[in-house]
Amino acid sequence: MFIMKNTLVFKNPPEKWEHFLPLGNGRLGAMVKAHPCNEIIQLNEEGIWSGGPIDRVNTSAFAHLEEIRNLVKEGKVLDAQELGFQSLSGTCFNERVYQTAGDFKIDFFSHDNYGIACGFPLQHKTSPECLATYESQLNLDEASVTLSYKDENGVTFTRRTWISAVDDMLFMYVTADKKGQINFRSYFDRGIWADSIYAEENFIFLEDAHGIPYCAGAGAVSNGGKVKAEGFCLTGEACDQVLFFIDIKAWQWNKKPLTKKQYEKKIQKNTWKPELLKHLNETKNFILSHGIEVAAEDLFAWHLVEYKTYWDRFDLSIGKNESSSALISTPELLKTASSDNIDIVNLYANFSRYLLIAGSRVPGQLPTTLQGLWNCYMDPPWGSKYTININTEMNYWPVNLSSLNECELPLFDLLARAYNNGCDVARRMYHCKGYVIHHNTDFWGDAAPQDNWLPGTYWVLGAAWLATHIWEHYEYTFDKAILKKYYYLMHEACQFFVDFLVPSELKAADGKPYLVINPSVSPENSYVTKTGQTGAFSEGCEMDNMILEHLFKSCLKAHKVLNGEDKSLKGKAYPSSDYDDFAYVLSHLKAPEINSDGTLMEWNTEVPEVEPGHRHVSHLYGLYPGHTLSKEKTPDLMEAAKKTLAKRLANGGGHTGWSQAWIINFRAQLEEGDLALEAIVKLLTHSTLPNLLDNHPPFQIDGNFGAFAAIVRMLIQSEINEKNELVIKLLPALPSSEAWSCGSISGVGIKGGYKADFTWSKGKVEKIILRASPFADKNMKIITNSDVSVELA
């Protein structure tokens, strides 16, 4: 059997939406059913959310904050939580949610299968011959879905669907090997959430303004036969070839602060429908002027050239390249996942990289949500927004490793769009400088507490964690311009905590109190209080300490790098006293401690856990993605981390896709290759859908990205140490499996502004080449763990 690491293959149409095939250009997203006769293209546009801006700030927070803190100190945790629920929760519990733009449904049928029978859904019958000859593919190196089948009359049909970033349009090109055989009926559907669906100028449209207003439009051009738009349907009869094209335009926000009333006034002027109609007409005229075959070839070629500028930067091949003549379907390949099956690992890694390119790039402006760019619901699980207590951050763990650095910029732009709201929340809720975001945000950059769930809602470290990505991005790229542009987001996240942190009873080395967050929560977890009850509020926890260490260290390093160019958003210099404050906070964060059972302490004192197998392993942040724990500097804490993982897993931890992905990263950092591979196999066998999307369940995309990062980090890791030396670890967590004993990787991003190419055989590095970016410090000393000399290209 032949397995292509860049192609997902399917011999049967998918049974449900979660098994459809994803396409995207950063702004437009689609899940393609790839059915021979009853095609569905579920559509998304990144700006379609459930409504306008809302002010959810609970202004009673500060009046009760001191009382809540005292109750936590006194051990009256449940009382503190009751008061916290009343005074800290958002005045509307929920932020806006990401929503589907609807479905584009297309029935293809033969001349003698024109009619439809009663029943639901209303669709034409699919002949056994169509299913028997069916094959679809998701072509990762071309960002396209292809489909072929033969009908009961022996006619072979093919379809290719792609979303072009160049033309900012979805295309589907349909052909048949006999003339006049393509018949179709298509229409938009969004259930009850559509204001109007209609035909105009030989296009069809769907408009809705229940949330952020938008318009979706579709057209088609044929060779031979006839295509027309009437009522709400776009139909074709006796066509030789058909080229469909679909676009969506939504109201655009200029990112300036906007009140609810201002928003409601602005959306009165419909600019999105005229823009859409113009785009559809331009595309139609291009196709008509060039002819379908030439137009389809050119449109796809332009798409491919642009896409390849991202795709061709990186390549990963684990194991030997072996092939034979027959393709194996991806669902069947997935069933064979094991420690010796590197084919599914290579394919999974490439698929995850594909999702990152498809979901987070220009022409898009927003980062990937909890479901990436793809969501079929009006009220999706967890709002399909930005859960920033692990999930959104995990989405971007592989971005610099796979040399897709600019794909991370939408994440920084999201933080920037949340900045004004974060300043408002910091001031009105907590009377603090700087800005704060809680554990979720949305299209509008909402910064107030989300939900009313005690272990998660009141977490204040969302902006702090996201801001660490700015420094990590710099360490990989050495792009000073990006660091300068976004520096204020790091600095003012620190400013908030200078004001918000309070002294605890625990003392630092200088005899002064440690500074802690109060009330704090260890994300989504709970503990047994002194009175035997379940509590979430605490006086600090390990994740607080490690995120703040990461943030404050990064900010001080950035200050040094920028050397006077570290300015506020308005271009003003920050007072020098800020940096003294930051240094003081950094020296008064509690260091990690070990419990009596040898595990790492999750809260600032040893307490029993309510759920020892909890999916979050937040107290290992300092292992990854933080930098507190290391084999060289803290061997005792590394052993405690191993025991922590053993305890979590023994009690059922790692049962969600993203949680298992984090565990693989922990294993990579601990240099436990065999256990990392064991976790990969668990991810593939228990938390992966037939199309390789991550399964929480339900579908979440974070596990794909987290696992991809971990696979790369099993093979190479890099750090810049205190001496400003670049330390590269090659094959730090290579499994002992013979299948992994050889391979190659090219274009992998490492810190210092370098890209690396290297090969290995029999478990040993054979060759490594480093290529410096224009920003790299070429005088930096490079240290590796290999006897093979580094070649500088």
Side-chain angles (χ1 to χ4, degrees):
M1 60 187 176
F2 178 51
I3 299 161
M4 292 189 289
K5 67 177 183 178
N6 293 333
T7 308
L8 276 64
V9 179
F10 303 88
K11 302 294 186 180
N12 297 292
E15 296 179 358
K16 54 185 177 179
W17 177 84
E18 287 81 1
H19 300 174
F20 289 14
L21 303 179
L23 294 172
N25 71 351
R27 183 184 75 87
L28 291 172
M31 290 285 276
V32 182
K33 187 176 184 181
H35 193 281
C37 301
N38 312 125
E39 181 64 285
I40 298 175
I41 302 177
Q42 183 271 317
L43 298 165
N44 287 107
E45 201 277 347
E46 64 171 359
I48 298 175
W49 291 65
S50 59
I54 43 178
D55 182 355
R56 303 187 305 109
V57 176
N58 192 331
T59 53
S60 68
F62 186 72
H64 299 283
L65 184 58
E66 192 62 30
E67 185 179 357
I68 293 168
R69 286 170 166 167
N70 287 332
L71 287 169
V72 172
K73 278 186 173 184
E74 294 165 9
K76 298 176 181 178
V77 175
L78 271 61
D79 292 349
Q81 291 172 174
E82 173 60 35
L83 187 55
F85 170 74
Q86 295 178 31
S87 59
L88 301 179
S89 302
T91 53
C92 169
F93 288 142
N94 293 298
E95 299 168 349
R96 299 307 193 185
V97 305
Y98 184 46
Q99 296 183 320
T100 178
D103 296 339
F104 185 65
K105 297 181 176 179
I106 320 169
D107 264 21
F108 293 96
F109 48 88
S110 60
H111 293 292
D112 53 2
N113 190 25
Y114 175 80
I116 53 174
C118 295
F120 185 82
L122 286 173
Q123 59 187 29
H124 293 81
K125 293 181 179 179
T126 303
S127 70
E129 290 83 358
C130 291
L131 296 175
T133 56
Y134 171 91
E135 182 175 288
S136 65
Q137 297 183 358
L138 175 59
N139 308 292
L140 305 178
D141 55 348
E142 295 184 350
S144 68
V145 172
T146 53
L147 168 66
S148 65
Y149 64 95
K150 189 176 290 187
D151 74 0
E152 63 273 21
N153 299 314
V155 181
T156 299
F157 296 86
T158 62
R159 297 205 293 269
R160 170 184 278 154
T161 308
W162 70 97
I163 302 180
S164 169
V166 177
D167 294 287
D168 206 7
M169 181 81 77
L170 182 149
F171 296 98
M172 184 170 69
Y173 182 41
V174 186
T175 66
D177 66 355
K178 293 182 182 179
K179 290 188 176 183
Q181 299 300 308
I182 301 172
N183 305 283
F184 68 88
R185 180 254 290 138
S186 61
Y187 61 97
F188 286 113
D189 186 13
R190 202 182 187 227
I192 64 171
W193 302 102
D195 291 334
S196 57
I197 304 175
Y198 58 93
E200 180 184 306
E201 295 191 28
N202 218 31
F203 303 117
I204 57 171
F205 298 93
L206 182 154
E207 290 197 73
D208 186 70
H210 284 91
I212 292 177
Y214 76 96
C215 184
V221 175
S222 70
N223 266 350
K226 182 179 180 182
V227 170
K228 64 180 180 180
E230 286 185 335
F232 63 91
C233 290
L234 180 67
T235 61
E237 181 180 353
C239 304
D240 303 337
Q241 300 166 314
V242 182
L243 182 56
F244 292 87
F245 46 99
I246 303 172
D247 189 17
I248 306 166
K249 299 294 186 189
W251 174 83
Q252 292 293 304
W253 181 35
N254 63 11
K255 303 179 191 174
K256 293 181 180 178
L258 200 64
T259 66
K260 183 179 180 182
K261 285 185 177 180
Q262 289 170 330
Y263 164 78
E264 290 171 349
K265 183 178 179 181
K266 284 182 178 292
I267 64 171
Q268 295 306 308
K269 185 179 180 181
N270 186 335
T271 57
W272 46 94
K273 167 64 186 297
E275 289 173 6
L276 175 64
L277 185 58
K278 179 184 177 185
H279 195 199
L280 292 173
N281 271 312
E282 288 172 347
T283 303
K284 182 178 180 179
N285 291 337
F286 174 83
I287 298 168
L288 290 171
S289 65
H290 288 75
I292 283 186
E293 288 190 48
V294 172
E297 183 178 334
D298 285 352
L299 291 166
F300 185 71
W302 297 337
H303 151 75
L304 202 56
V305 168
E306 185 274 343
Y307 176 74
K308 287 283 193 178
T309 64
Y310 294 91
W311 180 260
D312 287 347
R313 298 177 191 179
F314 176 94
D315 184 70
L316 170 64
S317 293
I318 301 169
K320 298 176 182 178
N321 292 317
E322 298 177 345
S323 65
S324 63
S325 59
L327 281 171
I328 183 173
S329 76
T330 299
E332 290 303 312
L333 178 63
L334 184 61
K335 291 177 183 177
T336 67
S338 68
S339 59
D340 296 323
N341 186 344
I342 45 83
D343 297 310
I344 187 62
V345 176
N346 284 321
L347 184 60
Y348 183 94
N350 274 335
F351 174 66
S352 300
R353 178 164 63 101
Y354 161 80
L355 292 174
L356 189 53
I357 301 170
S360 186
R361 79 177 197 274
V362 173
Q365 299 179 43
L366 287 164
T368 50
T369 73
L370 205 57
Q371 280 75 30
L373 191 56
W374 303 276
N375 164 45
C376 68
Y377 300 102
M378 293 299 296
D379 187 12
W382 301 285
S384 190
K385 47 188 183 297
Y386 305 105
T387 304
I388 54 177
N389 66 1
I390 174 62
N391 313 92
T392 301
E393 289 88 351
M394 183 179 283
N395 285 359
Y396 288 88
W397 286 354
V399 70
N400 294 304
L401 290 165
S402 54
S403 296
L404 296 172
N405 312 94
E406 67 270 49
C407 292
E408 193 170 25
L409 299 184
L411 183 68
F412 303 158
D413 289 337
L414 176 70
L415 193 54
R417 77 164 60 189
Y419 168 76
N420 285 317
N421 290 331
C423 291
D424 185 57
V425 171
R427 183 180 68 255
R428 290 166 65 198
M429 281 189 70
Y430 304 118
H431 290 203
C432 293
K433 296 193 302 289
Y435 76 114
V436 64
I437 313 175
H438 293 81
H439 89 300
N440 270 253
T441 191
D442 64 2
F443 174 88
W444 300 103
D446 194 318
Q450 157 70 26
D451 296 325
N452 57 345
W453 190 41
L454 292 170
T457 294
Y458 311 102
W459 191 74
V460 294
L461 287 154
W465 191 345
L466 288 175
T468 65
H469 281 242
I470 298 167
W471 176 251
E472 295 293 326
H473 184 96
Y474 171 76
E475 284 208 320
Y476 274 98
T477 64
F478 268 37
D479 188 338
K480 198 171 171 181
I482 296 295
L483 182 64
K484 179 181 175 182
K485 178 179 179 180
Y486 295 108
Y487 170 80
Y488 74 98
L489 295 168
M490 301 170 65
H491 190 106
E492 295 184 39
C494 290
Q495 280 184 331
F496 171 79
F497 287 101
V498 169
D499 282 358
F500 188 74
L501 293 171
V502 292
S504 74
E505 294 178 0
L506 302 171
K507 305 293 184 183
D510 62 1
K512 294 180 180 179
Y514 282 122
L515 298 173
V516 297
I517 294 172
N518 183 7
S520 170
V521 295
S522 187
E524 305 185 27
N525 205 357
S526 53
Y527 64 95
V528 180
T529 69
K530 293 177 182 177
T531 57
Q533 297 169 306
T534 299
F537 281 14
S538 65
E539 225 187 329
C541 69
E542 178 62 15
M543 185 181 230
D544 298 350
N545 306 327
M546 295 301 95
I547 290 179
L548 292 178
E549 179 191 70
H550 195 178
L551 173 67
F552 278 79
K553 274 188 176 180
S554 298
C555 193
L556 289 170
K557 289 177 183 177
H559 167 59
K560 186 176 180 180
V561 167
L562 291 173
N563 191 27
E565 294 185 276
D566 44 339
K567 304 288 180 65
S568 73
L569 184 59
K570 295 180 179 179
K572 295 181 179 179
Y574 291 107
S576 59
S577 58
D578 277 5
Y579 304 103
D580 295 333
D581 291 340
F582 297 171
Y584 182 85
V585 168
L586 190 56
S587 65
H588 289 83
L589 296 172
K590 182 177 172 295
E593 283 193 66
I594 299 173
N595 287 316
S596 56
D597 64 358
T599 62
L600 204 66
M601 201 175 283
E602 182 165 359
W603 289 271
N604 280 351
T605 56
E606 185 167 356
V607 291
E609 294 176 89
V610 172
E611 193 179 344
H614 198 271
R615 61 195 173 278
H616 283 257
V617 198
S618 302
H619 44 319
L620 292 190
Y621 179 97
L623 179 61
Y624 188 81
H627 307 283
T628 308
L629 279 64
S630 73
K631 186 177 179 181
E632 294 76 21
K633 293 185 297 182
T634 59
D636 55 334
L637 295 178
M638 293 291 271
E639 287 303 312
K642 292 177 184 179
K643 291 180 180 179
T644 301
L645 282 176
K647 182 178 178 181
R648 270 289 198 267
L649 295 175
N651 287 279
H655 51 276
T656 66
W658 65 262
S659 180
Q660 194 65 251
W662 202 357
I663 287 166
I664 306 167
N665 277 282
F666 291 145
R667 295 301 190 190
Q669 196 68 24
L670 290 166
E671 301 182 16
E672 297 179 319
D674 287 341
L675 291 175
L677 180 55
E678 181 182 304
I680 290 173
V681 174
K682 286 181 181 177
L683 178 82
L684 293 169
T685 53
H686 297 292
S687 299
T688 303
L689 294 163
N691 57 0
L692 302 190
L693 285 174
D694 176 66
N695 197 18
H696 181 285
F699 157 57
Q700 279 185 202
I701 207 163
D702 39 21
N704 285 104
F705 297 135
F708 173 39
I711 290 165
V712 177
R713 293 182 62 254
M714 290 166 67
L715 304 174
I716 185 168
Q717 296 173 25
S718 61
E719 289 292 345
I720 298 172
N721 66 17
E722 295 85 352
K723 298 178 182 179
N724 202 40
E725 299 166 330
L726 175 58
V727 180
I728 304 171
K729 289 186 177 182
L730 298 164
L731 307 179
L734 187 71
S736 60
S737 167
E738 178 66 23
W740 284 67
S741 65
C742 60
S744 65
I745 190 167
S746 64
V748 62
I750 59 173
K751 293 190 173 182
Y754 287 93
K755 310 296 181 188
D757 305 338
F758 72 95
T759 58
W760 71 97
S761 180
K762 297 180 181 178
K764 302 290 183 182
V765 175
E766 289 185 318
K767 185 176 184 179
I768 177 168
I769 301 172
L770 294 190
R771 290 176 281 110
S773 76
F775 307 114
D777 179 0
K778 296 177 183 178
N779 295 318
M780 182 179 285
K781 184 178 180 181
I782 299 170
I783 301 169
T784 76
N785 61 340
S786 172
D787 295 332
V788 176
S789 298
V790 174
E791 298 179 31
L792 295 175

